[in-house]
Each structure stands twice: as structure tokens, then as C-alpha cells.
Amino acid sequence: MNSYKFPDDFMWGIATASYQIEGATTEAGRKPSVWDTFSQTPGKVLHGDTGIIACDHYHHYETDIQLMAQLGVKHYRFSIAWPRIIPDGRGTVNEAGIDFYRRLVDCLHQHNITPHATLFHWDSPEALEDLYGSWRSREMAKDFADYVTAVVSRLGDRITNWMTINEITCFTHLGYAVNSDPPHAPGTRVDTNKEVWQTSHHALLAHGLATQAIRAASPTPCLISLVDNISVTVPISETPENIQAAQQAFHLCGQNGGIIFPALTGRYSPALLEHLGKDAPDIQAGDLEIIHQPLDAVGLNIYSGTYVQARDNGSYDYRDRQPSYEFLSFPVGYPKMYMPWLNIIPESLYWGIRHIGETLGRQDLPLFITESGCAAQDEVNAQGKVIDTDRIMYLRQYFKAAHRAISEGYPLKGYFVWSFMDNFEWSYGYDRRFGLVYIDYQNQQRLTKASFDWYRECINQNRVV
Ligand code: IFM
């Protein structure tokens, strides 16, 4: 019998991000982020929702941390808001902003919960958008590194797990898209695909400079990772041909070839550069060395994937106009959770992990699932409970896929469920709930869902229950 038992030192956790939960957007010296501007622009976010109050975690963090302790997690991934720390993006450090995170982290330690801090989860200072167009400028990488130095030199005595940047694709490729309305802040439409790729190149530079800055500023030994939402190619069946097809397709799926490839291998995927042609970003001498910093781990945010199958056209060569694989579209009626892109593909989690080792050749890197979870149409029933069996079904399958990866020897060390509580889901506002804890946005009441109890039992027994 497979009891889906996890290793004794497996790290169970939960994740959130600053703009999605904190609220208090004008408190203690914080100035606007691009998400404040974007969400307050009519038509950008569903129902006109903004992060002005969100879950008011800024004022409720002690209650929230007590709930985390009740859940039994020992690891909490949250993010630090750049505009709380350096409200103008560059220049003076706002010590009151630092103090908030100091209080938060001290409270976590009091509850024996280890903090894992993401230094950037999309809420960049609006001042830098106004000054030079945020990620359109190389300046952004330098300013980010200075902000990181300010944070790590002040909080590095209490935080030793740092994550530089979350999901580069989302705030670059989705924030500046050429032909579609960008659903993400800053929502500036640039003229060419090359300019879009230039924004993600600048974000990679920011990651590299930030990694150097953390190592230089940390008063104690620390662990550093990048968090990426790789686009996972999944073989339709696990035959050698389809597995090879999934590995080849991984280069051109989403932005993999231009984000996770340079970050972990020191070069853009040749297949991608060939594919982009004149749209490839300008890469200055020394950039790839900066981007390809030694890391202690990689964080993968995996929710879904893309099925791939082999084409019967002989051996693979990326210069072929006909690749030896094909991406499969989803049939109408494919099961999904409550987001248009959230097709249920538990094995994407396993294949994402495997691609880092096999396709990118980084078997050496410890891995974390830094986000995985789902939105569901949660309702409070007549007994005042949220019985989200759909979320439990989803997580149970993904946990089993994680277990498979570990049992086959892949170095998965921990799993952070997204999300601890319902929150501001970007352009979907408060309409989509990802939490294990239900938030009543009228009165800021917290209500644990059935999935909270289920996850607590998994943690308690250290297996999938
Ligand atoms: O809510 C987001 C999070 O901020 C980044 N990763 C995906 C989540 C669900 O869409």
C-alpha cells in the first residue's frame, strides 16, 4: 500500500504576497505601487476592486499568524513591498516600513514558523514607472538591488531564506504585451516583442544583482532562490518519444527559454533565440554572468501545464521548421478549477520538477514548490462552513505528484500551498478565492475552510490523507 508518506524533514508551508493581502496602502510612509495605480484605473480590475484594504493583514497579522500556527505549518512565504521600504523607489529608506516586517517576522518566530521572504511580488514603486518606465529601463535592476540591500542589511538577522523575484513572466510579458490588453500592471503596451523581452531581461538582471546584494548584505549565512512559474510541458503518455517531445517543447513553452534557461544555465535557449530572431532582447557583455548566479534552491509555482506529444518526423533539430513535437490544445470540457487557465493536471507538478533536473541539467538544485493551489467557488453554508471538497481533491492529487517526484529521487524539499487566505487575485480582484482561510471582506472575519482542516491533517501525519 502506498501511504504517500513524506520525508521527515519535508517543509510544509503556505504562501501569500504583500499587495494581495496587506491593505494599508497609505500607512506608515508607504507610497503607491504600480498595482495601486493600475487597480484604481477604471476597467482594469474586475468590479473595480483594489488592494487598498485587501485582507487588512497589515493590522491583522497577529491573528493570521495564530491561524498559521493552528494549521501546523512551520514555513510561511510572504513578500515585502518595495514601496513600503523605499517609497520613491530609490533614495531614502522608510524605517517605519521595515518595522512592520520586523514585527511580522518576530511574531512568526514566536510561533516557531520560519519566514521565507520574497523581495518582489509585482508591487514596484509607481515613482519608478513615472521616472523611467519601470522594467523598460535597465535602471530598474540597479534600483532593485539597492532596495534589496536596504532590506537584507536590516532584516537579515531574522530572515535567512530569501527569494528574489516572483514569476518574471507575469509583470513583464503580461504587463507590457504588444497585441493584447495587458492584464497586469503597469499595463503599458510597448511597440515590439523585442521591447517586451527586454523587460524580462532587465528583471533577470535584477534577480542576478539582487542575489549578489543579498550575499553581500546578509549578516548571517542565508539561502537564496528565484521563484518562477515555468510553463510545464507534460507528455500525453510516458513513452520515450513523448517524454523526449515534452523536453524539447519545454524550450518554447511560455517564456521558459528566456527566463528559467538563462537563470539556471547562463544562456538563453538557442531554440528560443532562433525562434525570436529580431525580437530577441539586447544582451550586453557580462549580463549572462550576472543573471546566472549560484543559487541555493529554485522555487517553482506550478498550477497547470500543457500536454505535448511526439510527431513522427524523425530526429529533432530546432532549426527545423517542423519541430518533432506538438502542443495539444484542451478539449472543450477538460476539467478545470475556477480560473480560465487552471486546467487540472496533477502530473504537471511532477514534470516541472523533472524538467529542472533533466531538461535544464540542474539535478544539483534543491527544489521547492513555492506556490500551488486553486481558486474555487467557495460558499459559506447554512452551518457557517466552507466545505471546499473541490480544493481538497485538487491538492490531494498535486501532493501525490510531489510524492512521486520525491520517491523517484528528485530533490523536492518543501511545498507552499497558495494561498493561506483568500486575497486580491490581481485583475480578478476579490472574485476568485484561492485561500485555505475564507475572508469575509465586509468585516474582515477569518473562517477556516474544510481544506484547512484537511491540510492540517496532512501536515500532522506528514502524508497525503
Ligand atoms: O495569485 C497569484 C500569485 O500572486 C502568483 N501566482 C499565481 C497566483 C494565482 O493566480
Side-chain angles (χ1 to χ4, degrees):
M1 193 187 91
N2 190 343
S3 66
Y4 295 105
K5 190 92 183 149
F6 279 71
D8 287 345
D9 58 355
F10 194 72
M11 293 157 67
W12 294 109
I14 29 102
T16 65
S18 47
Y19 191 72
Q20 295 181 269
I21 63 166
E22 284 178 0
T25 51
T26 55
E27 205 146 321
R30 183 191 181 280
K31 287 190 181 172
S33 71
V34 291
W35 267 97
D36 291 280
T37 310
F38 188 78
S39 62
Q40 289 169 44
T41 304
K44 296 295 184 194
V45 173
L46 198 59
H47 310 312
D49 291 341
T50 74
I52 293 173
I53 299 175
C55 309
D56 201 22
H57 174 74
Y58 187 89
H59 298 111
H60 290 76
Y61 72 91
E62 287 169 307
T63 312
D64 293 335
I65 291 171
Q66 278 162 20
L67 277 174
M68 291 176 202
Q70 196 178 311
L71 178 61
V73 279
K74 293 279 175 271
H75 300 273
Y76 174 41
R77 172 179 178 238
F78 61 97
S79 78
I80 294 178
W82 185 350
R84 275 197 203 288
I85 308 300
I86 304 189
D88 293 315
R90 47 168 54 170
T92 312
V93 176
N94 174 33
E95 298 297 340
I98 294 282
D99 284 344
F100 166 64
Y101 294 106
R102 202 175 271 130
R103 293 196 296 278
L104 176 84
V105 167
D106 286 351
C107 187
L108 286 168
H109 284 306
Q110 280 156 20
H111 288 85
N112 291 318
I113 299 173
T114 303
H116 297 250
T118 308
L119 288 151
F120 184 68
H121 197 123
W122 311 351
D123 43 359
S124 56
E126 175 62 35
L128 298 184
E129 176 64 16
D130 301 340
L131 187 64
Y132 52 62
S134 312
W135 299 103
R136 282 175 283 164
S137 168
R138 274 177 85 92
E139 293 280 295
M140 191 74 165
K142 166 79 174 46
D143 283 333
F144 179 64
D146 289 346
Y147 146 72
V148 166
T149 298
V151 172
V152 175
S153 58
R154 288 167 173 80
L155 297 176
D157 56 345
R158 320 164 135 72
I159 302 175
T160 53
N161 293 281
W162 297 103
M163 301 178 182
T164 54
I165 296 188
N166 185 72
E167 300 184 359
I168 287 177
T169 289
C170 292
F171 61 89
T172 57
H173 289 256
L174 301 182
Y176 299 91
V178 177
N179 291 322
S180 62
D181 229 0
H184 273 257
T188 317
R189 198 184 299 226
V190 297
D191 294 330
T192 62
N193 275 330
K194 183 184 180 71
E195 288 169 80
V196 179
W197 278 102
Q198 205 64 51
T199 63
S200 51
H201 186 72
H202 294 154
L204 283 167
L205 281 173
H207 156 72
L209 292 177
T211 304
Q212 294 173 338
I214 297 168
R215 299 227 189 268
S218 178
T220 46
C222 63
L223 301 174
I224 307 176
S225 49
L226 170 69
V227 175
D228 194 34
N229 56 336
I230 55 173
S231 294
V232 181
T233 49
V234 177
I236 185 169
S237 61
E238 296 185 3
T239 62
E241 299 75 27
N242 288 330
I243 290 173
Q244 192 188 30
Q247 290 174 337
Q248 290 161 353
F250 189 71
H251 290 243
L252 291 187
C253 197
Q255 281 70 41
N256 291 342
I259 294 180
I260 198 71
F261 272 79
L264 298 193
T265 70
R267 57 181 205 147
Y268 280 67
S269 153
L272 177 74
L273 292 179
E274 171 82 11
H275 173 78
L276 288 179
K278 65 177 178 33
D279 284 332
D282 292 329
I283 302 170
Q284 296 185 12
D287 282 2
L288 291 170
E289 288 70 29
I290 293 172
I291 288 166
H292 183 217
Q293 289 298 306
L295 294 174
D296 302 295
V298 166
L300 302 175
N301 295 353
I302 299 181
Y303 293 82
S304 191
T306 303
Y307 286 113
V308 170
Q309 73 180 9
R311 256 201 194 132
D312 189 17
N313 67 344
S315 66
Y316 169 71
D317 183 331
Y318 66 81
R319 287 165 294 248
D320 285 352
R321 290 289 162 247
Q322 276 279 28
S324 55
Y325 57 82
E326 59 184 319
F327 293 111
L328 301 174
S329 51
F330 288 95
V332 179
Y334 188 92
K336 57 170 62 174
M337 301 301 292
Y338 194 37
M339 291 295 273
W341 47 267
L342 227 174
N343 298 299
I344 303 170
I345 309 181
E347 61 274 29
S348 62
L349 197 130
Y350 166 80
W351 280 101
I353 290 167
R354 194 162 154 178
H355 281 311
I356 300 298
E358 285 182 7
T359 312
L360 292 170
R362 293 301 310 263
Q363 294 89 343
D364 58 308
L365 268 178
L367 302 175
F368 288 86
I369 297 299
T370 33
E371 282 183 30
S372 183
C374 62
Q377 289 168 275
D378 299 321
E379 280 175 355
V380 183
N381 70 15
Q383 290 74 43
K385 308 254 186 236
V386 179
I387 310 294
D388 53 340
T389 46
D390 44 1
R391 180 172 289 104
I392 294 173
M393 174 279 297
Y394 177 98
L395 287 172
R396 181 181 282 126
Q397 303 313 319
Y398 281 65
F399 283 9
K400 287 180 180 175
H403 185 272
R404 176 184 173 196
I406 295 168
S407 63
E408 291 183 17
Y410 294 98
L412 179 67
K413 303 297 178 193
Y415 198 123
F416 295 79
V417 170
W418 184 272
S419 176
F420 176 60
M421 53 189 166
D422 297 338
N423 57 52
F424 177 80
E425 177 52 27
W426 309 111
S427 51
Y428 287 87
Y430 299 103
D431 196 66
R432 304 298 155 107
R433 296 176 176 273
F434 275 82
L436 301 175
V437 175
Y438 183 92
I439 302 288
D440 183 335
Y441 294 106
Q442 301 305 313
N443 57 19
Q444 292 298 338
Q445 290 292 312
R446 274 82 169 129
L447 174 66
T448 57
K449 302 180 190 176
S451 57
F452 180 101
D453 296 335
W454 173 82
Y455 188 33
R456 184 178 52 199
E457 202 50 38
C458 289
I459 296 169
N460 183 33
Q461 297 193 30
N462 198 28
R463 67 181 188 89
V464 187
V465 296

